[in-house]
Structures are given as structure tokens and as C-alpha cells.
Amino acid sequence: MKKLIIPKLSQEVDRNNLELLADYLQQQPAQQINVINWRNFPYCPEISFRIMYDDEAFFLRYDVNEKYIRARADKNNGSVWLDSCLEFFLSPEGNDVYYNLEMNCIGTKLLALGKPDAGLEHANDEILSRIVCRSSLGNVPFEEKKGDFNWNLVVIIPFSSYWEHNIKPVSGLKMKGNFYKCGDELSESHFVSWNEIKTETPSFHQPRFFGELVLG
């Protein structure tokens, strides 16, 4: 199981200026999403992420280089995983209860709470509106394109978005989570993770295979 120490954002950074925030995050050490868990899906785009936090939110930047991009989903809680999609799953208590945040390459969002034997409960519009996404590809939907695409996604995830938990972000707090890249309906389907998943078929909803996340 991988372990990631998440550094705290400097108080001098203006979290409301997404351009400056994106540049600041890019200067931080990068983590790779490069684990191919299923042989039938060998394609692995180049994907890295950087994550930080402050007293109110996570700050996340993904950088991607891939051959195909697509963004059909334009409504929140839609089928974003069928597009070129990035995901961050978090278990605040390090157990089988987790939140899955999924975003396609134009920042259309899906957020749900998963519990054992209870399925998924999707976030309402008010909760989703708290999460800010900025994509270098803009926010207009498009059909699949083939080429050599470099793009990034910057996300601000307030702790209040995790509506059933009262996260108090203190140094040393331990949680669990995983980071993913997928594209179920792209010409070259892929399902890549940060921490290894040991299942027979593609499945990201696997809290037993989350890595350890510690606030620095």
C-alpha cells in the first residue's frame, strides 16, 4: 500500500486565483498515476497529480498526456467516466465508507458517497456547486478527438463537500484514498490507478485497495 504525505498550502497563496493556484501546485512534487491493473487494458496515458490542503479544502492538480480525449457529459452526476475522466476517491475514516469524486476533461463533476451494501448516494446540486474545477480544455462538450493532447485540471474540494463527515484538517490526520484515470468509451479504453487494485475486472470502487493519505 502506498503512502502519501499531503503538504499544507501556504497562507500566502490566493486560493481564489485559479491561474496562480495552478502554477503554485505545478511547482510541488508530482505523484504518478501509472498502475495498469488489468492486462486487457494495457494503455496508460501519462498522468501525474499534486495535492495540498488548507484549513478548508483540498487543492488538486492533474496533468495528462493522452491520445484520445472526449467530453460528452455536460451535466453533473452524469456518466463522466465514459469520457476522458480523472477521479479521487477518499475514505475519511480509512474504512469501507468512501466518497468518489469523478470529473471529465471539461470539469463536469460526479460526487457520491459509497457504503457497504448500501450502494451510492449522489451529492445534491448545492454540494456539487462547492467544488471548483478549471480545465485547460475549457468547459464546452465535444466528441472524441485523436492526437497528442496535453491538458490539466485544477480542483478545489472543500471539506464540507464530504457531507456526512466533519473533517478537521490537522497535521497527522490519517485517511485513505486512491487516484484514477479512465476512459471507458474512448477508442483506447483504460483504467489506471495510483495505488494497485487486485481484482479480476476493472473496478475503482475498492476501498480495501486504497492507499494511505496523511496530512502533513
Side-chain angles (χ1 to χ4, degrees), residues 3 5 27 42 46 52 73 92-93 103 110 121 124 135 138 152 154-156 161 177 197 212:
K3 178 178 179 179
I5 307 295
Q27 299 170 27
E46 295 178 18
M52 303 186 77
E93 298 176 354
M103 303 151 290
L110 178 154
E121 176 188 350
N124 60 36
S135 171
N152 65 71
V154 175
V155 193
I156 302 175
S161 305
I197 303 169
E212 184 177 11

Side-chain angles (χ1 to χ4, degrees), residues 42-209:
Y43 176 57
C44 183
E46 295 178 18
I47 319 124
S48 63
F49 71 92
R50 294 146 169 102
I51 185 168
M52 303 186 77
Y53 78 100
D54 69 2
D55 293 335
E56 298 179 4
F58 283 122
F59 303 88
L60 184 57
R61 174 178 172 138
Y62 293 93
D63 288 273
V64 183
N65 173 255
E66 60 183 331
K67 293 192 256 182
Y68 300 93
I69 54 173
R70 192 189 90 170
R72 283 186 187 170
D74 60 354
K75 291 182 174 56
N76 287 333
N77 282 336
S79 302
V80 294
W81 65 90
L82 302 179
D83 292 336
S84 184
C85 182
L86 294 162
E87 307 186 1
F88 173 37
F89 284 30
L90 179 74
S91 175
E93 298 176 354
N95 54 23
D96 289 338
V97 177
Y98 66 94
Y99 296 85
N100 56 299
L101 175 61
E102 309 176 17
M103 303 151 290
N104 71 4
C105 59
I106 59 169
T108 306
K109 299 166 285 191
L110 178 154
L111 177 64
L113 171 64
K115 296 180 179 179
D117 303 320
L120 294 172
E121 176 188 350
H122 285 82
N124 60 36
D125 290 339
E126 191 279 324
I127 292 173
L128 281 166
S129 70
R130 302 173 193 172
I131 301 172
V132 177
C133 290
R134 170 198 165 278
S135 171
S136 61
L137 295 175
N139 58 10
V140 178
F142 55 86
E143 294 295 325
E144 185 180 82
K145 301 176 184 179
K146 180 180 179 180
D148 182 18
F149 301 100
N150 289 281
W151 58 278
N152 65 71
L153 184 72
V154 175
V155 193
I156 302 175
I157 313 164
F159 295 123
S160 64
S161 305
Y162 302 115
W163 68 90
E164 201 166 284
H165 290 77
N166 182 22
I167 297 177
K168 298 186 183 300
V170 296
S171 179
L173 178 65
K174 294 180 180 180
M175 296 177 277
K176 287 188 176 181
N178 212 343
F179 302 83
Y180 310 114
K181 170 72 174 73
C182 66
D184 291 33
E185 288 190 352
L186 297 186
S187 291
E188 208 153 2
S189 301
H190 54 276
F191 305 90
V192 192
S193 66
W194 168 67
N195 199 62
E196 184 180 11
I197 303 169
K198 297 179 181 179
T199 59
E200 291 186 5
T201 57
S203 174
F204 287 163
H205 294 258
Q206 298 290 336
R208 63 195 169 116
F209 296 120

